[in-house]
Amino acid sequence: SQQGEEDPQALSIQEGENATMNCSYKTSINNLQWYRQNSGRGLVHLILIRSNEREKHSGRLRVTLDTSKKSSSLLITASRAADTASYFCATVHYGNNRLAFGKGNQVVVIP
Amino acid sequence: DARVTQTPRHKVTEMGQEVTMRCQPILGHNTVFWYRQTMMQGLELLAYFRNRAPLDDSGMPKDRFSAEMPDATLATLKIQPSEPRDSAVYFCASGPTLRNAGLNTEAFFGQGTRLTVV
């Protein structure tokens, strides 16, 4: 399978805490992307990390990529209630345009 | 403001009826994806197009599903005949792609079509 697989599936944290999610994949990638989905809405792109990058930041988001372990992590620092959503990783593999998603992490931030 | 537009937003239909879902990708995006989302299966890639040509539709049940791009501004997903197990949210997404390269930028998603087959 070329899909990303997130772990853990569900996370409940207090506002202000950090949230970390992991994603693993099976075959070599061109890039890996993280998306957020609020209940009943479409997915919104958060951050893209290319296979030759190891870490990327965007605001309170930090993504790491370890191609030797075929894994990525998404860290949300100083979480807010508005961060409550499902988070998905998606992989794009060399030579094709497929954007394949994992099953997602449900994150609940308690005010 | 540029966005992917899907119609209808909601559809309730009886088993056996034909369902057509439409998607208007962002102007200039040459890659279009169709996904189906359910609680059990998550986000499944049904089909995707580049420059209006189908690249892969292996995720679609071929006997009842069909996906087309009649022109660069319209993608359609049809189910005929529909079945209760087709009930799901169907998403369309589009993205720009460099020639002969993979998708190396973000994909933009529509708000989805929530399909209920009774």
Side-chain angles (χ1 to χ4, degrees):
Chain A
S1 166
Q2 295 182 338
Q3 292 175 280
E5 300 275 343
E6 293 91 347
D7 175 276
Q9 299 289 306
L11 189 61
S12 184
I13 57 174
Q14 294 288 330
E15 201 165 31
E17 293 181 339
N18 296 341
T20 300
M21 287 154 272
N22 298 307
C23 168
S24 61
Y25 55 91
K26 292 190 167 75
T27 57
S28 296
I29 58 169
N30 177 320
N31 64 76
L32 185 145
Q33 305 181 25
W34 286 91
Y35 289 77
R36 183 183 71 202
Q37 183 181 36
N38 289 94
S39 181
R41 309 292 296 273
L43 280 78
V44 174
H45 181 264
L46 295 176
I47 200 163
L48 180 153
I49 187 164
R50 303 188 194 287
S51 60
N52 60 353
E53 297 175 314
R54 291 298 166 257
E55 188 170 310
K56 216 162 179 185
H57 296 256
S58 176
R60 294 181 296 110
L61 304 179
R62 172 177 167 248
V63 168
T64 61
L65 180 65
D66 187 334
T67 53
S68 67
K69 295 181 180 177
K70 293 186 171 57
S71 68
S72 173
S73 68
L74 170 67
L75 168 67
I76 305 173
T77 60
S79 63
R80 305 168 182 167
D83 295 329
T84 294
S86 292
Y87 293 83
F88 295 84
C89 76
T91 50
V92 178
H93 296 262
Y94 284 108
N96 63 57
N97 290 352
R98 290 176 63 91
L99 182 64
F101 285 82
K103 295 216 182 291
N105 281 279
Q106 175 73 39
V107 175
V108 175
V109 181
I110 302 166
Chain B
D1 91 281
R3 57 181 173 171
V4 176
T5 303
Q6 289 187 248
T7 56
R9 290 292 311 277
H10 301 273
K11 175 74 176 178
V12 180
T13 190
E14 290 185 346
M15 183 173 63
Q17 296 297 306
E18 176 179 301
V19 175
T20 298
M21 291 168 272
R22 293 178 173 79
C23 168
Q24 181 177 351
I26 292 173
L27 191 64
H29 284 185
N30 61 346
T31 300
V32 175
F33 303 89
W34 280 106
Y35 293 91
R36 175 172 63 184
Q37 186 176 37
T38 61
M39 289 293 291
M40 293 299 294
Q41 299 298 326
L43 267 165
E44 300 174 274
L45 178 62
L46 297 176
Y48 68 99
F49 294 77
R50 184 169 70 187
N51 296 325
R52 295 176 55 202
L55 287 189
D56 187 350
D57 60 2
S58 59
M60 276 196 326
K62 295 291 189 308
D63 55 338
R64 299 183 299 109
F65 284 59
S66 62
E68 295 179 345
M69 280 200 74
D71 59 63
T73 65
L74 177 64
T76 62
L77 180 66
K78 289 186 182 179
I79 309 174
Q80 169 64 18
S82 57
E83 298 180 1
R85 59 178 167 153
D86 301 328
S87 297
V89 181
Y90 290 81
F91 286 103
C92 172
S94 72
T97 308
L98 296 176
R99 187 173 60 90
N100 296 328
L103 183 69
N104 56 6
T105 65
E106 65 186 284
F108 294 79
F109 278 75
Q111 291 300 301
T113 294
R114 182 175 295 276
L115 174 66
T116 303
V117 183
V118 298

